Amino acid sequence: MPGLSAELVQQLYRTPPDRFVAARDAAVADARRAGDPTTARQLARLRRPTVAAWLVNLLAIRRPELVADLVQLADALRVAQRELRGPRLRELSAQRRAVVGALVAEVRKLAAAEPDAPSANRLPLAEVEETLNAAFSDVEVAEQVRAGRLLRAASYAGFGEVPRPQLRLVTGDEEEREAERPARRPGPQRGRPEAAPRPDRAAERAEQAAQRAARVERARQRRALDRELAKAQADQERAEAELTEATGQERDGAAVLDGLEAELAELERRRAVAEQDLSRAKLARRAAERAVTVARRRAGEVEAAVEALAAEEGNADAGGGAAD
């Protein structure tokens, strides 16, 4: 947008969705105070992204080199699909699964580093994964992902572009049968001898035979492409089934991990409480030990005083008896 810095836009789309509107309105107010109504209007037109779109934008802003790799691979995959290159298509499809899986893992890490991000078990990673897959089939989605301006998750409906050859549909092998059928020669007309074909007529028949042969060859190529396409689609279905299973396993694993982390946090809390109780018990024991020491000392002093008093009384009694 003219007059609107890319840094400010990135800062806004890096902001979690629940704080986006407040941050955008504050930026609008700053632009108006600075006497820049054009920028203020452009900022006011920015819309809040969904959580899934925010995560994809965060990936594009924080790790643009990874998103650039995704876009480059998407371009190569679309070329292979248009050319129906089976081995290359399978290779790129395997790379696509690996890249999308790595990017989803990176999104989880980036979200964990954001202080106001939702908890790990509430992240819409399935929508993130679907959006990244959609970038492989839709150039516009790929460009939005790379720009970090996505507003909502995109849907992935298929295996990308699957151009089909512009061939006329035939049933069975009618074109081959037509090419193999011997050309009919007109029979002799009654009352007239059969005339030899003219040279221009022979050339026309040769051209027609060549055209039939070309149609047969195109039909053969079409069937070969159909077989290759069917195999590619079967590989796609198998790969998508594996992806679905792996995604489910990842979600289950994340749920187990979240549960263990919650249990660990509870154990840590209980440990801290136990350590505090133990510390208080140690202090109480030491205070009791000091009290026992003081009491024992005092008891010893009192016992000594009693013994001294008894000795004095004994001495006094002995002295009185001697005087008598």
Side-chain angles (χ1 to χ4, degrees), residues 67-316:
V67 175
D69 291 342
L70 178 144
V71 174
Q72 183 177 4
L73 180 59
D75 292 339
L77 187 58
R78 280 192 290 270
V79 170
Q81 288 169 341
R82 283 194 295 269
E83 297 177 356
L84 295 176
R85 293 158 56 189
R88 180 62 173 161
L89 192 60
R90 288 191 292 272
E91 177 187 352
L92 292 174
S93 297
Q95 292 182 24
R96 182 197 69 172
R97 293 192 297 273
V99 167
V100 171
L103 290 180
V104 172
E106 186 65 25
V107 165
R108 179 189 289 272
K109 292 180 183 178
L110 292 174
E114 292 292 323
D116 297 323
S119 59
N121 58 348
R122 295 176 58 193
L123 294 177
L125 296 180
E127 295 181 37
V128 171
E129 182 176 356
E130 189 174 11
T131 300
L132 295 175
N133 276 318
F136 282 92
S137 59
D138 193 320
V139 178
E140 184 178 352
V141 173
E143 187 57 35
Q144 289 179 357
V145 169
R146 179 164 53 182
R149 304 284 183 88
L150 205 64
L151 294 180
R152 59 187 58 83
S155 298
Y156 172 58
F159 194 59
E161 301 174 341
V162 185
R164 288 173 171 78
Q166 298 298 321
L167 298 177
R168 183 173 64 89
L169 180 63
V170 295
T171 58
D173 294 327
E174 60 176 331
E175 290 185 342
E176 289 185 3
R177 290 195 297 270
E178 181 182 353
E180 295 171 355
R181 187 180 301 124
R184 294 182 180 177
R185 300 181 59 183
Q189 297 182 358
R190 294 182 179 178
R192 290 186 182 180
E194 183 178 358
R198 292 180 301 174
D200 55 348
R201 183 60 177 171
E204 182 180 349
R205 290 178 178 175
E207 182 180 356
Q208 291 175 352
Q211 290 175 356
R212 286 195 297 270
R215 287 197 298 270
V216 171
E217 177 62 19
R218 287 196 299 271
R220 186 192 64 79
Q221 293 177 356
R222 196 270 321 281
R223 288 194 298 275
L225 290 175
D226 286 344
R227 287 193 296 270
E228 188 67 30
L229 177 59
K231 188 175 185 304
Q233 289 175 337
D235 292 341
Q236 169 202 345
E237 293 176 359
R238 182 169 56 255
E240 289 179 345
E242 293 175 357
L243 175 61
T244 301
E245 182 180 0
T247 302
Q249 292 176 350
E250 179 187 7
R251 282 197 295 266
D252 294 342
V256 171
L257 179 60
D258 291 340
L260 292 175
E261 288 178 348
E263 293 178 4
L264 180 60
E266 176 62 19
L267 290 175
E268 291 290 344
R269 186 192 65 79
R270 292 170 59 186
R271 177 182 176 180
V273 172
E275 287 178 346
Q276 292 177 357
D277 293 342
L278 178 59
S279 178
R280 285 193 291 268
K282 286 181 179 179
L283 292 176
R285 176 182 58 79
R286 291 170 184 168
E289 287 177 347
R290 288 195 295 270
V292 167
T293 300
V294 171
R296 286 176 178 173
R297 184 183 305 115
R298 180 59 181 164
E301 292 173 353
V302 172
E303 287 179 357
V306 170
E307 291 177 355
L309 181 59
E312 288 179 2
E313 289 177 350
N315 292 335

Side-chain angles (χ1 to χ4, degrees), residues 4-79:
L4 187 60
S5 68
E7 292 77 10
L8 179 56
V9 174
Q10 280 195 354
Q11 179 180 353
L12 288 174
Y13 280 99
R14 212 167 40 227
T15 304
D18 58 348
R19 293 194 293 109
F20 177 87
V21 174
R24 181 199 61 192
D25 292 347
V28 171
D30 291 342
R32 287 173 178 166
R33 282 193 295 269
D36 190 354
T38 301
T39 299
R41 287 193 299 271
Q42 291 171 343
L43 285 169
R45 286 197 291 267
L46 297 179
R47 293 294 174 260
R48 180 179 62 182
T50 63
V51 176
W54 168 68
L55 290 172
V56 176
N57 293 337
L58 192 65
L59 176 68
I61 294 170
R62 298 288 193 189
R63 301 300 304 274
E65 72 283 2
L66 297 182
V67 175
D69 291 342
L70 178 144
V71 174
Q72 183 177 4
L73 180 59
D75 292 339
L77 187 58
R78 280 192 290 270
V79 170

